Amino acid sequence: MIDKDRMPASVAIIMDGNGRWAAKRKLPRVMGHNAGMNALVEIVRHSSNIGIRHLTVYAFSTENWKRSSEEINGIFSLLVKFVDSKLEELDREHVRVRILGDYRKLPEKSVGRLERMMERTENNTGLQFNICLNYGARDEIRRAAAEIADLASRGEIRGEDVTEELLAAHLYTGKEAVPDPALLIRTSGEMRLSNFLLWQAAYSEMVFTDVLWPDFTPRELERCIEEYQHRDRRFGGR
């Protein structure tokens, strides 16, 4: 059983396995993404209920554009469906939704829904639900470095002013006040970060589960949290 007094304030999830879930059932890949969206709804609800303050999920990476247009269009259609069907509940439950990544490159309809969701939930004070869309950690760090270089070129900062804190503040997570994840979970048995939160995950506890994302339940989330709570986090000390 999880210890409510030792909850990770910030949890990140690489939601992996939608395609394999669909393939096992001889279904189109988009059906796997639909099942994955349903699983996400339950995880957002449960995260809010058990006291997680920040939940960050990897929904669409900068590399996912390599997939078929049919799959990509299906994913973006599901985004619209998610906002249309869940915005009232998210707002009612005081969830604040933020988008991390260059989301404005998504289709216009998706962008409009996402911005509507962020505007509607802007002042909510419950769970902050961060959705990484058209996100890549290397691109995030590159953008931060470019912003800092621009400040330097205008004479606003010097080389010695570039600290870890300054760079972190220019990341997507810094701009949205998202703490580094204490716990990072990846589903489907894969054991890599796949260009997700490379800077922020420096001291994250990582839990890998064989469960495919559409089968990831609130109980499996609690199991991952229990594993996290049994670890000794020393941050390089003794």
Side-chain angles (χ1 to χ4, degrees), residues 121 173 178:
T121 64
T173 48
V178 182

Side-chain angles (χ1 to χ4, degrees), residues 61-227:
S61 77
T62 50
E63 289 75 33
N64 286 156
W65 293 104
K66 300 173 185 176
R67 298 185 179 187
S68 71
S69 58
E70 179 182 10
E71 183 176 358
I72 290 171
N73 291 335
I75 291 171
F76 295 154
S77 294
L78 285 171
L79 276 176
V80 172
K81 176 183 175 182
F82 175 80
V83 176
D84 288 347
S85 63
K86 300 303 174 185
L87 179 54
E88 291 295 332
E89 178 183 350
L90 291 167
D91 192 35
R92 185 173 63 249
E93 297 301 319
H94 311 292
V95 175
R96 183 173 189 258
V97 183
R98 310 311 295 163
I99 307 301
L100 309 184
D102 190 10
Y103 73 90
R104 289 185 179 85
K105 290 185 178 177
L106 272 60
E108 184 178 348
K109 190 173 184 180
S110 298
V111 171
R113 290 302 204 284
L114 293 169
E115 292 185 337
R116 174 186 168 202
M117 182 166 58
M118 287 192 287
E119 181 179 356
R120 174 76 173 272
T121 64
E122 170 68 32
N123 297 316
N124 289 348
T125 57
L127 170 74
Q128 180 162 315
F129 175 37
N130 309 297
I131 309 173
C132 292
L133 287 165
N134 196 25
Y135 171 90
R138 288 183 174 181
D139 181 65
E140 177 184 33
I141 295 168
R142 179 197 63 77
R143 288 169 180 269
E147 289 178 8
I148 293 169
D150 189 50
L151 292 175
S153 70
R154 299 200 303 266
E156 296 181 26
I157 62 171
R158 299 171 300 172
E160 55 265 35
D161 297 324
V162 181
T163 61
E164 290 186 12
E165 291 76 16
L166 179 66
L167 195 149
H170 283 267
L171 300 175
Y172 291 123
T173 48
K175 294 173 182 177
E176 296 296 347
V178 182
D180 292 347
L183 170 62
L184 190 152
I185 300 166
R186 180 164 188 160
T187 62
S188 86
E190 303 293 348
M191 297 185 183
R192 56 182 177 272
L193 287 176
S194 296
N195 201 20
F196 181 55
L197 300 181
L198 298 181
W199 177 278
Q200 299 88 336
Y203 283 101
S204 300
E205 294 296 327
M206 298 183 188
V207 174
F208 301 99
T209 172
D210 291 332
V211 175
L212 300 176
W213 175 249
D215 294 326
F216 191 86
T217 62
R219 178 66 195 106
E220 182 65 12
L221 172 62
E222 290 194 7
R223 190 199 66 76
C224 293
I225 293 172
E226 288 170 10
E227 182 171 337

